[in-house]
Amino acid sequence: MTDKVAEFRALHVPGNPLILINIWDAGSARAVSATGAKAIATGSFGVAGAQGRADGEDFPLEDVFENLERILSVTDLPVTIDMESGYGADPAAVGVSVGRAMAAGAAGINMEDRLPGATDLLSIAEAIARYRAAADTGIFVNARCDTFRGADAAKDSDAALVAATIERARAYADAGAGSLFVPFLLDPKCIGAICDASPLPVNILRGKGGPTHKELADLGVARISHGHQPWAAAMAWLAAQAGQVLAGGEPDY
């Protein structure tokens, strides 16, 4: 398994980013694997939504691992799974949950610096303890940093948000994280500043209206995620087709 972790780690190259079209089950993993993807990544929102559950660790941990097992059965690519806040009330419990993911065959995880349902970020000390427990398992940890989540442009200066992000990036690097995930950020200037200063390779969530994949690469991004967007687009297409047929028309397929 350490080979898969090393293979996955090596895909994080600033300027030549790993592109992850996030999937939610074995079928979507098989579809994406066949397109030339270099790795497979789940997104917790889509995984939960595909089972009629809510995001925020509402999807039971045992189901997380059953889903992981099915995904691993259809691809030889490195697989990273979104473990939200680490599925643990304290660092020791996080280590147990993440250790199970590593033992099951995952090469990496996403993990947040907020607890399920919480708005405020964990203190840096609390986040460090949880990230260290996860990283100590040997798995590749993509440390999500939610400094830009819900940021109010009228109150929060870009410079302050970038500085807060870099402070956490350094702390998370010291805790053993392998990369820094900064979602909900589309401003090229901020992205570039974070990529320049972060000790960790930077993961950005691709957003409609934001920088293109090429522009993100030029800014120094090392990993681009699509998050819940593929699942949401697939569900919107399905609903539209169903509505079209049930209104008396013919589907596009």
Side-chain angles (χ1 to χ4, degrees), residues 166-188:
I166 296 307
E167 181 184 14
R168 286 183 176 260
R170 291 172 179 147
Y172 299 168
D174 289 343
S179 57
L180 179 75
F181 181 31
V182 190
F184 314 115
L185 171 60
L186 299 178
D187 181 74

Side-chain angles (χ1 to χ4, degrees), residues 98-179:
V98 176
R100 288 184 62 187
M102 173 76 172
I109 63 158
N110 270 27
M111 194 170 131
E112 302 174 14
D113 55 2
R114 289 181 304 113
L115 294 179
T119 299
D120 293 339
L121 275 64
L122 290 163
S123 70
I124 292 179
E126 291 174 307
I128 285 173
R130 294 172 70 87
Y131 281 131
R132 181 172 289 123
D136 282 350
T137 68
I139 208 165
F140 184 96
V141 177
N142 188 38
R144 176 167 151 171
C145 178
D146 268 349
T147 44
F148 281 86
R149 183 179 185 270
D152 186 340
K155 298 178 181 178
D156 305 310
S157 78
D158 287 345
L161 290 171
V162 168
T165 303
I166 296 307
E167 181 184 14
R168 286 183 176 260
R170 291 172 179 147
Y172 299 168
D174 289 343
S179 57

Side-chain angles (χ1 to χ4, degrees), residues 89-105:
D90 55 41
V94 168
V96 172
S97 296
V98 176
R100 288 184 62 187
M102 173 76 172

Side-chain angles (χ1 to χ4, degrees), residues 1 4-5 8-9 11-12 18-24 29 38-44 47 64 67-68 71-72 75 77-84 101-102 105-111 139-143 179 181 203 223-225:
M1 193 56 231
K4 283 293 183 187
V5 175
F8 186 60
R9 187 182 303 277
L11 294 172
H12 294 72
L18 168 64
I19 297 176
L20 296 171
I21 313 297
N22 297 73
I23 56 90
W24 51 93
K38 294 180 180 179
I40 294 297
T42 67
S44 63
V47 168
V64 170
N67 195 44
L68 171 61
I71 291 168
L72 289 167
T75 182
L77 295 172
V79 173
T80 183
I81 63 171
D82 189 341
M83 289 194 69
E84 306 200 54
M102 173 76 172
I109 63 158
N110 270 27
M111 194 170 131
I139 208 165
F140 184 96
V141 177
N142 188 38
S179 57
F181 181 31
N203 177 193
R223 171 170 167 170
I224 303 171
S225 300

Side-chain angles (χ1 to χ4, degrees), residues 44-45 47-49 51-60 84 87:
S44 63
F45 193 99
V47 168
Q51 301 301 320
R53 307 297 289 258
D55 199 21
E57 296 189 12
D58 181 54
F59 192 59
E84 306 200 54
Y87 280 86

